Amino acid sequence: MMKLNTPLIIAGPCSAESEKQILTTAQALSKHPQINFLRASVWKPRTFPGDFEGVGVAGLEWLRKAKEATGLKTCTEVAHAVHVEQAVKAGIDMVWIGARTTVNPFLVEEIAEAVAAYNVPVMVKNPVNPDLDLWIGAIERFIRRGVEQIGAIHRGFSGYRKLIYRNEPFWEIVFELKRRYPTIPIINDPSHLTGDKALVREMCQKALDLEADGLMIEVHPHPEKALTDQKQQLSFDELSDLLKSLVYRNPKETSPSSDILKIRTQIDEIDSEIIKLLSHRIGLVREIGDIKHKNRMTILQMERWKEVVETRLALGDAVGVERDFLMKILQIIHEEALRVQENTDDTENTD
């Protein structure tokens, strides 16, 4: 397995766009001794045809020149075995497979065979969906091919409702992967996870506090002109400020605090889901309220309210939630539904 003594820092643009861009970035990154790898994608899987899908093999040559000029090791994304061969021949030091590739067992098997043949380190991004088994399944394909230098990249998972981050962290999945494969380093990708450069620093520190083994940070000479993911890429100055601000903790010295932090993180995840569900509930209340308003129905329907109280309290009893506590929550939700209806003419106090 890939072993790390200090946090691995990978930085570079989302996409390789020109030789000048790559060389300029490499020169800027080389000023920071804590940065280990220059990253840049030369093949970009995109949702829509016609979007910028990378420069291809030409970008590998730019990365080779950047490595020669600065001494920085290089890494890029691969999506099939031919990519692996081309990357290795160009002197790429490490490859990773993206979230979309991780879910395809045929492609992963093909890539694993090539990675094993060329003995190149590989990192596996989490799948798009929050499915631990998909992530583990992809990792296992490399392990069974005899690949020893394996890492995992936590770039967040797609959710059906977006609030703060571009992708949901679902830290509990990361913790479980770490528990099952304690020797596989997990690299946090704050750029793809947050989708917003303003949130990258906070995510970097949180990931390190939760014992992430490294960070993959997107940086661009001119983020506002980037051909892909403009909003999440840092400028060189922003990267410098971020690196200066990071606090590296020794997990052996702070294990009780680390355990508490992990539990608090799971609580944060639950609270986030509660808020999303409350927002969704209010939206449904408005829909029903609109129907009632058009049909001249009353705002308060006591029989329905009694039904809600009885069924929810019974459910609370079944899962061990104290009745008085649950009743307070139900009353607050009930009052908010009435307020929404009164202010918008969308009348409903329950679902």
Side-chain angles (χ1 to χ4, degrees):
M1 302 296 176
M2 187 186 299
K3 294 183 179 180
L4 303 175
N5 296 320
T6 58
L8 186 75
I9 306 295
I10 303 168
C14 176
S15 303
E17 300 168 358
S18 70
E19 182 175 330
K20 180 179 178 181
Q21 171 225 26
I22 293 299
L23 292 175
T24 300
T25 301
Q27 292 290 351
L29 299 184
S30 66
K31 297 176 182 178
H32 302 284
Q34 62 268 57
I35 294 179
N36 309 101
F37 279 85
L38 166 66
R39 62 140 289 154
S41 294
V42 300
W43 299 286
K44 291 290 299 181
R46 305 302 300 278
T47 300
F48 297 104
D51 288 347
F52 178 68
E53 296 184 325
V55 297
V57 177
L60 298 176
E61 178 63 15
W62 305 339
L63 287 170
R64 185 189 64 77
K65 290 182 178 180
K67 178 180 176 180
E68 290 179 351
T70 64
L72 278 172
K73 293 183 177 180
T74 57
C75 60
T76 195
E77 179 176 345
V78 294
H80 51 69
V82 174
H83 287 170
V84 177
E85 179 182 3
Q86 291 171 330
V88 172
K89 288 183 177 179
I92 297 296
D93 299 284
M94 181 165 62
V95 298
W96 77 81
I97 64 171
R100 302 176 194 228
T101 305
T102 298
V103 302
N104 189 320
F106 297 108
L107 285 177
V108 175
E109 190 68 44
E110 174 187 319
I111 295 168
E113 183 178 2
V115 165
Y118 288 104
N119 193 29
V120 60
V122 64
M123 298 183 293
V124 181
K125 281 199 172 186
N126 66 250
V128 175
N129 298 326
D131 189 325
L132 177 61
D133 286 341
L134 282 175
W135 202 359
I136 289 177
I139 291 171
E140 279 291 339
R141 290 184 183 276
F142 288 97
I143 293 175
R144 294 192 179 193
R145 285 284 182 178
V147 178
E148 296 183 353
Q149 299 185 81
I150 305 173
I153 300 176
H154 174 217
R155 48 84 75 191
F157 303 84
S158 292
Y160 62 96
R161 285 191 297 271
K162 298 289 191 292
L163 284 182
I164 300 175
Y165 302 130
R166 174 181 178 181
N167 294 299
E168 297 287 347
F170 289 119
W171 292 103
E172 64 273 18
I173 294 178
V174 179
F175 298 155
E176 182 59 15
L177 180 68
K178 191 73 170 178
R179 186 188 71 81
R180 296 196 199 181
Y181 298 86
T183 60
I184 291 182
I186 299 179
I187 310 302
N188 181 266
D189 179 350
S191 303
H192 277 93
L193 203 159
T194 64
D196 184 347
K197 66 163 61 182
L199 301 173
V200 166
R201 181 184 308 201
E202 171 193 335
M203 182 56 65
C204 285
Q205 189 60 61
K206 185 168 188 176
L208 291 176
D209 290 346
L210 291 170
E211 301 181 16
D213 298 289
L215 303 167
M216 177 182 274
I217 307 166
E218 292 192 351
V219 58
H220 193 286
H222 305 286
E224 71 281 359
K225 298 180 180 179
L227 298 180
T228 54
D229 291 337
Q230 294 179 357
K231 295 181 180 180
Q232 68 193 39
Q233 299 193 65
L234 304 181
S235 68
F236 295 157
D237 288 342
E238 289 167 337
L239 176 68
S240 296
D241 291 342
L242 183 153
L243 293 174
K244 292 175 184 176
S245 73
L246 293 178
V247 177
Y248 299 94
R249 311 183 195 281
N250 185 344
K252 294 181 179 179
E253 296 175 357
T254 59
S255 55
S257 298
S258 177
D259 290 341
I260 291 173
L261 182 59
K262 288 181 179 179
I263 295 172
R264 285 176 176 169
T265 298
Q266 293 180 63
I267 291 174
D268 291 344
E269 294 281 350
I270 293 171
D271 288 347
S272 176
E273 286 302 309
I274 290 173
I275 292 170
K276 291 177 188 177
L277 291 172
L278 285 173
S279 174
H280 187 48
R281 191 185 197 282
I282 291 172
L284 295 175
V285 163
R286 287 196 179 99
E287 289 183 28
I288 295 178
D290 183 58
I291 295 172
K292 284 194 164 189
H293 176 64
K294 290 176 181 177
N295 290 277
R296 298 186 178 183
M297 300 171 67
T298 60
I299 292 175
L300 178 62
Q301 295 186 334
M302 284 304 301
E303 290 302 316
R304 172 59 178 162
W305 171 237
K306 290 178 182 178
E307 176 192 349
V308 168
V309 171
E310 291 174 0
T311 56
R312 277 42 166 190
L313 290 179
L315 178 60
D317 290 340
V319 296
V321 177
E322 205 275 330
R323 276 196 160 221
D324 289 343
F325 169 69
L326 183 54
M327 190 63 205
K328 290 176 183 177
I329 294 176
L330 291 173
Q331 288 172 335
I332 291 172
I333 293 174
H334 176 70
E335 291 169 5
E336 176 63 13
L338 290 176
R339 185 193 68 77
V340 169
Q341 296 157 18
E342 291 169 352
N343 291 341
T344 63
D345 287 331
D346 294 341
T347 56
E348 177 54 30
N349 57 289
T350 65
D351 57 331

